[in-house]
Amino acid sequence: MLIVDQYTGRIITAAALDREKVASYSFKVYAMDSSASNPRNTSAEVTVHILDVNDNAPFFITDPLIINMSSSSLSNHKVLATMRAEDKDFGANGSVFYRFANPVKGFTINSLTGDIQATEKLHTMTQSQRTLIVEAMDQGNPSQSSLGVVIVYIREQSYQGIRFARNTRDVSLQENAAKGTAVVQIQAHYPDGSSSGINYSIFSGNKQQSFSISPHTGEIWVESSKGLDFEETPRLRLVVKAETASSSSFMAVNLLLQDVNDNLPRFQLHNYVAYVREAQGYDHPIIQVLANDLDQGQNGQVTYSIRSSSMSGLFKIDPVTGSISTAAIMDREIWTQTNLVIMATDRGSPRLAGSATLTVIIVDLNDNSPTIPVPREVRVPENTLIGTVITQVTGNDVDSGPALSYSLLLDSDTQGKFGIHRYGGGVSLTASLDFEDRTWYMLTVSSSDSKHRTYANLTVLVEDVNDNAPVFSQDLYEVTLAERSPAGSSVITVTATDKDSGDNGRITYRVVSTKDMFYIDPSNGTLFIKQKVEFDSQRPSILVVIEASDSGTPPLTALTTVQVHVSDVNDNAPVFHQTEYRASVSEDEVPGSTILTLEAVDGDLSRDNCGFDFAIASGNIGNAFQIESSVRFLEGHGFQTVGTLILVDKLDFESANGYNLTIVVSDRGIPQRSSSVPVLITVMDTNDNPPSFSRAEYNVIVNEGAETGKEILQLFAVDPDSTSNGEVQYSISSGDESELFSIDRWTGSLRLRRSLDSEKQSSRVFIIQASDGQGHFALAPVTVEVKNINNNRPYFPLKSLTASIRENQPQNALVTILHAIDHDKGAYGELRYFLMYNSGNGKDSFLVNQTSGEVRTRFTFDFEKVNAFNFIAIAMDAGNYSATVTVQVFVTGEDEYDPVFTNSDFAFHVPEGAKKGQSIGQVNANDEDGGVDGIVLYTLANSSPYFEVNTFTGVISLKMDAYHRHTSRSKRETRQMTLDVTAHSPLEISRKASAQVTIDVTHTSFGLNTDMNVVLASAITASLAAIVFLIIVVVVIFLLRSQRYKEQEACARIVSHGTILESLEESKVPGGDKLYHPTLPGYATDQTGSGGGTYARGGSLDPSHSSGRGSAEAEAAEDDEIRMINEYPQVSSISSSMQEHIAARGPDSGIQQDADQLSDISCEPGMDANQWFKGKKLGSLSGTLPSSQLPTYRDEGGGYLGVGRGLKISHPKDYAFPEDGKPAVDGSLTAIVASDEELRGSYNWDYLLDWCPQFQPLANVFTEIARLKDENAPPNPRRPFHPKAKTDPKPRIDPPPLITSVAHPGAKTVLPKPAVGRTFPHLSSLRRSPIDHDGTVSSIAMSPSFSPSLSPLAAHSPAIAPFGGHSSSIMGTNEHSLEHEETELRI
């Protein structure tokens, strides 16, 4: 709480003081001097008394005070209760007086004791009058007071006011609780237990406004943490008042504060100081520190430690008592004092720590010897005066005392020359020194601290005085210097020595004479030249005087001489007298002739450096020349070496008309020097070469009829001689007696004088002469071949070509072969093929063989990137005639990529009450392929009785209603079904991908076993329905058989037995003989399938080329079938077996290559074959191809039926199509549309509006016409037709009736065949012609003149009949088994 300033001695407070906790403090104060070796101290006892301040208010011991008493025990002036209050202050501040806060009737209170007495009878007072508010007040200045409550209840009186259930309540609360912390909720009640209309307030105890109360609910919470300090006030009391308009009640809430670790441990002092003598041993006690923590329990338990530092390891502290002791031996010479940080840490959570500083000072002991840091050497000049201090010795002692003393220990030779000051340490000279006598002395210095002594050696070096001059090693130096040495070149190094030392012996050099030519390094004596030195024969050497001087005072010098001899150097190259030499030599010059003489001079003077040698360096082609060196006397120059250029080989102007020689002259000095000069030799020509033609013979082809004067050949002859000797002249020497040709004299251009005729002579040979005009000439034969003219241009048969290639074919794959025609023969008939530049996007993608015309790929194509190319190809003959064709190449796709589902797993659920056909989800997959390979279709891997997937959209829907058996929710369990959906393209060979679909069927009965009762009821119902159905069937069969029996009796008079169709049924055309339309003219035949050909949809021959929506647009133009009748009257491709059937069937349709037993399907929009068959429904018919050989498709909509011979009607099955994509049509009836609407008696109006005519072969048309009644014809039943025995069939084409005004060219008059009655079993319910007929044998054949309108054939509408009635729908037939019934159709 109190600290002392260590410098001023002032005692000051370190924290707030509280007299009520500690009334006084007693401690000792020490005063200590600063002696390092033996500090002294004194102490004084100090007691500090704390004066009281009125800082505490009186506090009631019991508040509120509840008194329950009987009225019989009441009497005047009897003490009812005593209110006692305490005050912690001292003296007047703690003296308490009592009084009522408000005037009270019937009661008095003793101001000193707090006794309360009644002055009136209590039963006459109201309860509010018996609630007393007592005020307790101290006598401080200013005074403080508190209020208390006394409530008096009479047992005999019934109290109807509010009242708390308890008078007091203890509540625990953490100190420093945050604002808003709930404390407690109290409530007062009426005697009946109700608590409405009561207001609550804090009556007393909330002096610092630390709490708030809800006036309506009585909930108390913390308003401020101020005042909630366990260390200051561990217990608080709140008096809560509850009041209504007529009554009130009080209750005491005792708040027991829970201690929180919110106080740091505090040391008694912030700074501690302790002294310890050095050399103390381990565990020597130093000081004890003490820290207090105001918190309680573990929060107030303190442990001590020393904060880690560089010196903390030298001490240790007791963690409980705070006693600090040494952990090492103290040495003041290492450190004199240190500061430690002492930590006091409590054990609360979180832990809090306080700190204080401890300064430890070490008291010195004389335990170290002194040291003498003297210099090792001291230099003293030999002329130093006696008494001069030559050095200062200073000893060191790490101890603080006592002072050091010094002395010298000298040998016998040194005695009397040196002395030292006893306490100052100064060493002085006591006798003169002589360098020549002795150069150094060794002194021993001693230092003592009265307890320890130390010795050190001191060396004294005697310095010499400058008394010796420098001396050169030589009096005269000689050296040779080459002329033209560069400036700065070294010449020689001279050396001088000096016996003196130091500066007296340090020598510098300088040049005394010829300073303009030489200089010298002043430190090392090296002589250098300042400029180039030239050799002078008159002055071959130079003298240089050099001085050497020391650095003494005064300086001493010496001189020497250097003689420099200059030597000649080969520094000049020989030089020619001319910069260039020229000469002309005839090519017939005789070898050995002298061409030129060359001279040179050299500036060097010495004999060795001025000798010459000549040589040819370059340009001597063929070694035609050589040069010789010789010595001659030259006027003004004396004897000198010259070079003579001599011709050594014969020259040839035509091989080399000149020489560019380089002549080099070299001296004989070291190093050798040389120079060169160009010599130009011109060779003069002589006429020594004849002309020569460029070719030994010439051949030229000339077309007959070529115009006269046209150049047919250019001849060229060359004469190697020069221009005057090499001008060539041309002439015809012989062979052109008819003078058919002429040649230009100077250019050699051969021209026609007259036209040539190949019939007279196909080739001519003559001789051409080339002459130079001076007797030299050359001859060359010329052969002229007369050829026919290139009369024909090449051409391509087609203006454009179309080819295809599959994608991913390797490079250089064959695409197509170009073929053009040229009627010329020979060379003009041979064609070459090219691709025209910038002719389309395929130019760079293809290459063509120029001779064969093969077009091949340059790259591998990708259908998804590009699927078509076009370019222009050209064919060219030898006469440059050409033809072009446009080539279009289509790239066909391959199925390269697997379909990819957007998810690998799909999850759907069936909602409760879902109906048949309702969609429950959709799967989706993508295919990166293009074209039909990229179309994605969806199918189920395994069929499901409950679900189906739309082939095109992937929508999954219900196949039945989702009935659900009602069960309790607790029994309902989640049920799931899985489907595997496959994605693929429409092609048979297709890549596939699968995805699993999980469907929640919890709300359906799918997959559940029905109850036995439901099964039994269902079985009974089904049995009854079957019995009723069988009865109806039996009745219908009986009626039909009766009707059919009558018809057979009527027919027996006309038809004997058996029919042509039955014969066909018995003959059984083999399954491999597919009945298709044979190939129509102008269309390609399938090379791999049957003989039947396929045709594109929507063309002129397309069966669906008619109109839509029930119109008869075909009447506006000539019918395609009629056109085919007129254009192709004969057919020869029908098989013999088919001819028999046709011959037996009656009049032919008249359409070429049409089997009358076949029918086609119309009403289809134009589309490609892959999409043509999608969505069509086909009944399963006997006599068609086996289903295993055909791709099958299924759909739920309406569709078409193909009817063949020997039909067997059965339930709808999978759709079957042949490989070529066309439906298998095997009978003579028109395909009929049958849909679900027909069965229900209703119709889809979209279908009705989209209906279009159904065309049939003309044979069926005339069959229908023949069945119409002729009202004018007499009744004459025809005889039955008996089939003839099979003979050798011959093709026969019967002309059709003339339904147009134009007859085809092959029409002949043919007698009509007798009508034949044919029986078609199983077809009684099939739709026939849209023209009404009664279907009986009473139909009379029409006369040949009858010409009905055919428009009804294109305007009929599908018949609609309700299920079970008479309907021509084939679907109605499927519901009744008619396999054993027979129906006749007669013509």
Side-chain angles (χ1 to χ4, degrees):
M1 292 294 180
L2 301 173
I3 58 176
V4 179
D5 189 299
Q6 60 179 340
Y7 301 106
T8 64
R10 293 181 59 193
I11 300 175
I12 57 178
T13 60
L17 303 178
D18 189 353
R19 188 204 65 83
E20 285 72 33
K21 293 182 179 179
V22 181
S24 63
Y25 296 91
S26 296
F27 51 88
K28 279 186 178 183
V29 177
Y30 288 87
M32 182 177 297
D33 61 21
S34 300
S35 173
S37 60
N38 190 20
R40 297 182 179 275
N41 62 74
T42 185
S43 64
E45 188 75 24
V46 177
T47 301
V48 178
H49 297 280
I50 309 302
L51 299 179
D52 185 41
V53 175
N54 190 21
D55 57 350
N56 291 284
F59 181 78
F60 286 98
I61 297 174
T62 302
D63 186 25
L65 180 60
I66 308 299
I67 303 173
N68 293 295
M69 47 190 326
S70 175
S71 58
S72 60
S73 62
L74 293 177
S75 62
N76 292 337
H77 304 291
K78 183 179 179 180
V79 176
L80 301 178
T82 300
M83 287 292 288
R84 294 290 304 274
E86 295 180 350
D87 195 325
K88 295 180 181 180
D89 292 324
F90 178 75
N93 295 331
S95 179
V96 179
F97 291 87
Y98 304 93
R99 66 178 180 179
F100 289 120
N102 298 318
V104 176
K105 178 182 177 182
F107 296 93
T108 62
I109 188 171
N110 189 309
S111 61
L112 297 178
T113 63
D115 294 337
I116 299 175
Q117 297 176 340
T119 58
E120 295 181 5
K121 294 183 179 181
L122 297 182
H123 62 273
T124 61
M125 300 180 184
T126 64
Q127 183 60 44
S128 61
Q129 293 174 334
R130 296 199 295 267
T131 300
L132 309 178
I133 306 301
V134 179
E135 180 181 14
M137 180 182 299
D138 60 24
Q139 302 302 311
N141 187 16
S143 63
Q144 296 198 40
S145 63
S146 297
L147 297 178
V149 180
V150 178
I151 303 175
V152 180
Y153 291 100
I154 305 300
R155 292 192 184 96
E156 287 79 9
Q157 291 183 354
S158 175
Y159 177 64
Q160 299 299 322
I162 61 174
R163 188 171 180 178
F164 286 102
R166 299 165 57 182
N167 295 334
T168 62
R169 183 171 182 179
D170 294 338
V171 178
S172 297
L173 178 67
Q174 278 193 344
E175 67 171 329
N176 303 324
K179 180 180 179 180
T181 302
V183 179
V184 70
Q185 182 177 9
I186 59 174
Q187 284 188 340
H189 300 276
Y190 287 99
D192 60 359
S194 63
S195 60
S196 60
I198 302 174
N199 289 327
Y200 300 92
S201 62
I202 299 176
F203 178 73
S204 63
N206 194 20
K207 188 174 184 180
Q208 297 187 21
Q209 302 299 316
S210 299
F211 301 93
S212 294
I213 189 171
S214 173
H216 303 295
T217 64
E219 183 178 0
I220 300 174
W221 67 86
V222 176
E223 184 65 28
S224 172
S225 60
K226 181 180 179 181
L228 303 182
D229 189 354
F230 175 82
E231 288 72 32
E232 293 292 334
T233 309
R235 184 184 181 94
L236 297 175
R237 181 172 62 196
L238 298 178
V239 178
V240 179
K241 180 180 181 182
E243 62 180 339
T244 61
S246 60
S247 62
S248 64
S249 181
F250 294 85
M251 177 181 178
V253 177
N254 297 321
L255 299 177
L256 307 179
L257 296 185
Q258 303 296 318
D259 184 33
V260 175
N261 191 21
D262 58 347
N263 289 283
L264 299 175
R266 295 183 182 276
F267 285 93
Q268 292 180 344
L269 297 176
H270 285 299
N271 296 301
Y272 292 88
V273 179
Y275 293 86
V276 60
R277 291 184 179 273
E278 70 172 327
Q280 293 290 347
Y282 296 96
D283 295 331
H284 180 74
I286 299 175
I287 195 174
Q288 183 177 9
V289 296
L290 181 63
N292 295 323
D293 192 324
L294 299 178
D295 294 320
Q296 300 296 317
Q298 288 190 344
N299 296 335
Q301 295 179 4
V302 177
T303 57
Y304 300 93
S305 62
I306 300 175
R307 182 183 294 174
S308 176
S309 66
S310 61
M311 305 296 289
S312 61
L314 300 177
F315 305 90
K316 60 182 179 180
I317 188 171
D318 190 298
V320 178
T321 63
S323 177
I324 300 174
S325 58
T326 60
I329 298 177
M330 304 293 110
D331 190 350
R332 183 184 174 279
E333 286 69 44
I334 298 177
W335 52 277
T336 59
Q337 69 176 34
T338 185
N339 293 324
L340 302 177
V341 178
I342 309 302
M343 304 295 298
T345 307
D346 60 23
R347 297 183 181 179
S349 179
R351 293 195 173 192
L352 302 178
S355 63
T357 302
L358 170 62
T359 301
V360 180
I361 300 174
I362 308 300
V363 179
D364 186 34
L365 293 177
N366 188 8
D367 56 351
N368 293 280
S369 299
T371 59
I372 306 175
V374 297
R376 294 184 178 182
E377 295 180 353
V378 176
R379 296 182 177 273
V380 180
E382 61 178 337
N383 58 356
T384 301
L385 298 177
I386 297 174
T388 303
V389 177
I390 61 175
T391 187
Q392 179 70 42
V393 176
T394 302
N396 295 327
D397 193 342
V398 294
D399 294 325
S400 57
L404 300 180
S405 60
Y406 304 95
S407 61
L408 287 177
L409 301 178
L410 303 176
D411 57 16
S412 58
D413 294 334
T414 312
Q415 288 288 341
K417 291 187 178 290
F418 302 95
I420 189 170
H421 191 279
R422 179 175 178 79
Y423 295 105
V427 179
S428 57
L429 186 64
T430 59
S432 61
L433 301 178
D434 186 357
F435 177 79
E436 288 71 23
D437 184 20
R438 189 172 180 179
T439 60
W440 61 276
Y441 297 90
M442 178 66 69
L443 308 180
T444 300
V445 180
S446 174
S447 176
S448 174
D449 61 359
S450 73
K451 184 177 181 180
H452 306 90
R453 183 173 294 273
T454 303
Y455 301 92
N457 293 326
L458 174 63
T459 302
V460 178
L461 301 179
V462 181
E463 292 185 343
D464 186 29
V465 177
N466 187 20
D467 55 356
N468 294 286
V471 178
F472 281 98
S473 60
Q474 297 177 224
D475 292 334
L476 176 65
Y477 295 88
E478 288 185 328
V479 65
T480 301
L481 179 65
E483 70 167 339
R484 295 186 178 275
S485 296
S489 299
S490 63
V491 179
I492 193 174
T493 299
V494 298
T495 304
T497 59
D498 193 325
K499 295 180 181 180
D500 295 324
S501 61
D503 291 341
N504 297 329
R506 184 165 52 86
I507 299 173
T508 58
Y509 304 89
R510 70 185 182 93
V511 177
V512 177
S513 64
T514 61
K515 295 181 179 180
D516 56 340
M517 296 180 61
F518 299 93
Y519 70 93
I520 193 170
D521 188 304
S523 60
N524 59 20
T526 302
L527 186 66
F528 299 92
I529 59 174
K530 288 185 176 180
Q531 59 187 8
K532 286 185 179 181
V533 180
E534 295 291 340
F535 175 77
D536 187 357
S537 58
Q538 302 298 325
R539 188 185 176 190
S541 63
I542 304 171
L543 295 177
V544 182
V545 178
I546 298 174
E547 178 187 77
S549 174
D550 61 20
S551 300
T553 305
L556 302 178
T557 61
L559 297 175
T560 189
T561 302
V562 178
Q563 186 175 10
V564 180
H565 301 279
V566 180
S567 63
D568 184 28
V569 177
N570 187 22
D571 54 352
N572 292 287
V575 178
F576 286 95
H577 286 263
Q578 296 178 216
T579 59
E580 183 182 66
Y581 292 87
R582 291 178 179 269
S584 297
V585 182
S586 176
E587 67 175 328
D588 56 358
E589 185 74 28
V590 178
S593 303
T594 299
I595 308 300
L596 282 173
T597 299
L598 295 89
E599 299 177 0
V601 296
D602 194 324
D604 293 320
L605 299 178
S606 64
R607 186 173 181 178
D608 294 336
N609 296 332
C610 63
F612 300 148
D613 293 307
F614 294 90
I616 301 175
S618 63
N620 191 12
I621 301 174
N623 296 320
F625 303 93
Q626 74 178 21
I627 191 167
E628 295 180 354
S629 301
S630 60
V631 179
R632 293 183 184 179
F633 181 80
L634 298 179
E635 191 68 30
H637 297 283
F639 290 95
Q640 286 204 358
T641 303
V642 298
T644 303
L645 185 65
I646 300 173
L647 178 66
V648 296
D649 199 0
K650 193 171 181 63
L651 302 178
D652 186 2
F653 174 83
E654 287 71 33
S655 299
N657 56 9
Y659 293 86
N660 187 2
L661 304 179
T662 301
I663 306 298
V664 176
V665 59
S666 304
D667 61 19
R668 299 171 184 172
I670 298 174
Q672 190 179 51
R673 296 185 179 273
S674 63
S675 61
S676 62
V677 66
V679 177
L680 303 179
I681 306 297
T682 302
V683 180
M684 294 180 294
D685 184 35
T686 60
N687 190 15
D688 58 349
N689 293 286
S692 64
F693 282 96
S694 59
R695 294 164 58 181
E697 61 178 347
Y698 292 87
N699 294 282
V700 64
I701 299 175
V702 180
N703 293 326
E704 64 175 345
E707 59 183 9
T708 60
K710 179 180 179 181
E711 179 183 312
I712 61 174
L713 182 63
Q714 176 68 51
L715 289 90
F716 184 70
V718 178
D719 192 328
D721 293 325
S722 58
T723 304
S724 59
N725 299 324
E727 291 182 350
V728 179
Q729 301 177 25
Y730 301 92
S731 63
I732 300 176
S733 175
S734 62
D736 187 24
E737 290 76 6
S738 301
E739 297 183 348
L740 297 175
F741 306 94
S742 66
I743 189 169
D744 189 279
R745 177 180 179 184
W746 300 106
T747 64
S749 175
L750 183 65
R751 300 178 182 272
L752 286 176
R753 282 187 175 183
R754 292 182 295 170
S755 61
L756 304 177
D757 189 354
S758 62
E759 283 75 13
K760 292 182 179 181
Q761 189 173 352
S762 60
S763 65
R764 298 177 184 273
V765 180
F766 49 92
I767 306 301
I768 301 296
Q769 174 182 294
S771 171
D772 61 2
Q774 298 185 17
H776 295 87
F777 63 89
L779 300 176
V782 177
T783 301
V784 178
E785 183 178 355
V786 183
K787 291 294 183 181
N788 289 330
I789 302 174
N790 186 18
N791 296 320
N792 298 282
R793 293 178 176 269
Y795 68 92
F796 284 95
L798 299 174
K799 294 297 182 182
S800 63
L801 296 177
T802 301
S804 66
I805 183 171
R806 294 188 67 83
E807 66 171 333
N808 301 323
Q809 289 294 315
Q811 184 179 356
N812 203 39
L814 179 63
V815 180
T816 187
I817 299 178
L818 302 176
H819 180 68
I821 300 173
D822 192 329
H823 293 296
D824 289 322
K825 304 298 182 181
Y828 292 111
E830 297 178 357
L831 300 180
R832 303 183 70 184
Y833 298 91
F834 307 92
L835 298 184
M836 187 175 292
Y837 184 70
N838 289 337
S839 61
N841 64 348
K843 170 64 175 59
D844 297 329
S845 300
F846 301 91
L847 51 86
V848 63
N849 187 301
Q850 295 184 5
T851 56
S852 65
E854 291 181 349
V855 178
R856 296 183 179 272
T857 60
R858 290 180 181 267
F859 317 105
T860 298
F861 300 136
D862 189 350
F863 175 81
E864 284 72 28
K865 294 182 179 178
V866 58
N867 54 21
F869 299 92
N870 63 84
F871 54 87
I872 297 176
I874 184 170
M876 184 176 294
D877 61 12
N880 292 332
Y881 285 158
S882 63
T884 60
V885 65
T886 300
V887 181
Q888 190 167 17
V889 180
F890 294 97
V891 180
T892 59
E894 287 186 347
D895 197 355
E896 300 178 274
Y897 303 99
D898 292 332
V900 178
F901 281 93
T902 55
N903 291 316
S904 59
D905 297 306
F906 294 87
F908 308 121
H909 78 281
V910 180
E912 189 170 2
K915 299 299 182 181
K916 176 182 179 181
Q918 180 174 338
S919 171
I920 63 170
Q922 183 178 13
V923 296
N924 187 26
N926 300 316
D927 195 326
E928 297 184 11
D929 288 312
V932 69
D933 296 311
I935 299 175
V936 180
L937 303 179
Y938 305 91
T939 57
L940 293 178
N942 299 309
S943 61
S944 172
Y946 312 109
F947 306 100
E948 60 185 353
V949 62
N950 188 289
T951 306
F952 307 104
T953 64
V955 173
I956 298 176
S957 56
L958 298 179
K959 295 175 69 174
M960 61 172 59
D961 293 340
Y963 299 111
H964 180 56
R965 183 175 57 187
H966 295 284
T967 59
S968 62
R969 186 173 300 272
S970 61
K971 296 182 179 180
R972 182 178 301 171
E973 297 180 354
T974 301
R975 295 183 297 106
Q976 293 182 342
M977 291 186 175
T978 58
L979 301 176
D980 290 331
V981 180
T982 303
H984 55 87
S985 70
L987 301 179
E988 180 179 6
I989 301 176
S990 167
R991 293 178 177 267
K992 298 181 180 181
S994 298
Q996 189 175 69
V997 179
T998 303
I999 303 176
D1000 187 346
V1001 295
T1002 304
H1003 299 289
T1004 70
S1005 60
F1006 295 169
L1008 292 178
N1009 295 325
T1010 56
D1011 295 337
M1012 293 302 297
N1013 295 334
V1014 176
V1015 173
L1016 183 59
S1018 301
I1020 296 174
T1021 304
S1023 301
L1024 294 176
I1027 294 172
V1028 173
F1029 178 76
L1030 291 175
I1031 295 174
I1032 296 174
V1033 169
V1034 170
V1035 172
V1036 171
I1037 292 174
F1038 177 77
L1039 294 176
L1040 290 176
R1041 285 188 175 276
S1042 299
Q1043 179 69 22
R1044 187 169 292 106
Y1045 179 76
K1046 294 179 181 179
E1047 293 177 355
Q1048 290 176 353
E1049 288 181 349
C1051 186
R1053 298 187 300 271
I1054 302 173
V1055 182
S1056 59
H1057 65 274
T1059 63
I1060 299 299
L1061 191 59
E1062 289 173 349
S1063 299
L1064 291 177
E1065 185 69 15
E1066 294 170 359
S1067 62
K1068 292 290 182 178
V1069 177
D1073 296 336
K1074 301 178 184 177
L1075 300 182
Y1076 291 108
H1077 289 284
T1079 305
L1080 294 178
Y1083 289 79
T1085 302
D1086 187 359
Q1087 300 297 330
T1088 60
S1090 63
T1094 61
Y1095 50 86
R1097 303 286 295 173
S1100 62
L1101 297 179
D1102 187 355
S1104 64
H1105 193 58
S1106 182
S1107 61
R1109 296 203 181 275
S1111 64
E1113 297 175 2
E1115 297 178 2
E1118 183 180 5
D1119 188 273
D1120 285 341
E1121 294 185 350
I1122 299 175
R1123 179 175 58 80
M1124 295 300 299
I1125 294 171
N1126 296 331
E1127 292 182 6
Y1128 303 96
Q1130 294 181 355
V1131 177
S1132 61
S1133 62
I1134 304 178
S1135 64
S1136 59
S1137 62
M1138 285 296 298
Q1139 290 293 339
E1140 288 188 66
H1141 301 325
I1142 294 172
R1145 194 179 56 182
D1148 187 76
S1149 66
I1151 300 178
Q1152 301 299 325
Q1153 299 181 354
D1154 178 34
D1156 288 331
Q1157 285 181 319
L1158 307 179
S1159 63
D1160 198 1
I1161 299 175
S1162 61
C1163 197
E1164 281 297 315
M1167 62 181 72
D1168 59 69
N1170 287 329
Q1171 295 181 355
W1172 184 85
F1173 54 80
K1174 291 181 180 177
K1176 302 296 180 278
K1177 173 180 285 187
L1178 187 64
S1180 175
L1181 307 175
S1182 65
T1184 62
L1185 291 177
S1187 59
S1188 61
Q1189 301 178 7
L1190 305 176
T1192 61
Y1193 292 84
R1194 180 188 295 275
D1195 201 352
E1196 294 300 326
Y1200 292 94
L1201 279 175
V1203 182
R1205 50 181 173 76
L1207 297 176
K1208 292 180 66 178
I1209 308 302
S1210 61
H1211 292 280
K1213 296 182 179 180
D1214 290 342
Y1215 306 119
F1217 297 99
E1219 296 295 339
D1220 56 2
K1222 298 293 292 180
V1225 183
D1226 219 7
S1228 61
L1229 300 180
T1230 304
I1232 305 301
V1233 175
S1235 64
D1236 293 338
E1237 288 85 350
E1238 294 183 78
L1239 302 179
R1240 293 194 298 266
S1242 61
Y1243 237 87
N1244 188 324
W1245 286 105
D1246 289 338
Y1247 159 75
L1248 190 60
L1249 295 177
D1250 287 335
W1251 183 89
C1252 64
Q1254 313 253 343
F1255 292 99
Q1256 306 179 34
L1258 287 182
N1260 291 353
V1261 174
F1262 293 120
T1263 300
E1264 300 290 349
I1265 295 174
R1267 298 184 63 203
L1268 299 178
K1269 294 180 179 181
D1270 190 350
E1271 301 296 339
N1272 299 324
N1276 183 21
R1278 291 176 291 181
R1279 294 173 298 173
F1281 177 77
H1282 298 280
K1284 295 184 291 183
K1286 182 179 295 185
T1287 60
D1288 185 17
K1290 294 182 180 180
R1292 172 183 174 181
I1293 302 300
D1294 295 327
L1298 298 180
I1299 58 177
T1300 62
S1301 62
V1302 180
H1304 62 82
K1308 296 180 180 179
T1309 302
V1310 180
L1311 294 177
K1313 294 181 181 181
V1316 180
R1318 292 185 294 175
T1319 301
F1320 295 88
H1322 319 304
L1323 302 180
S1324 61
S1325 60
L1326 293 178
R1327 266 191 293 179
R1328 296 291 298 165
S1329 169
I1331 305 173
D1332 291 337
H1333 59 278
D1334 56 3
T1336 63
V1337 297
S1338 61
S1339 300
I1340 307 300
M1342 300 177 65
S1343 63
S1345 63
F1346 180 72
S1347 179
S1349 172
L1350 301 181
S1351 60
L1353 300 179
H1356 76 283
S1357 299
I1360 303 173
F1363 182 78
H1366 179 72
S1367 173
S1368 61
S1369 171
I1370 193 169
M1371 296 301 294
T1373 309
N1374 292 337
E1375 299 298 332
H1376 301 79
S1377 177
L1378 303 178
E1379 294 184 1
H1380 303 290
E1381 299 179 12
E1382 296 180 354
T1383 302
E1384 282 188 339
L1385 298 177
R1386 295 188 180 88
I1387 300 178

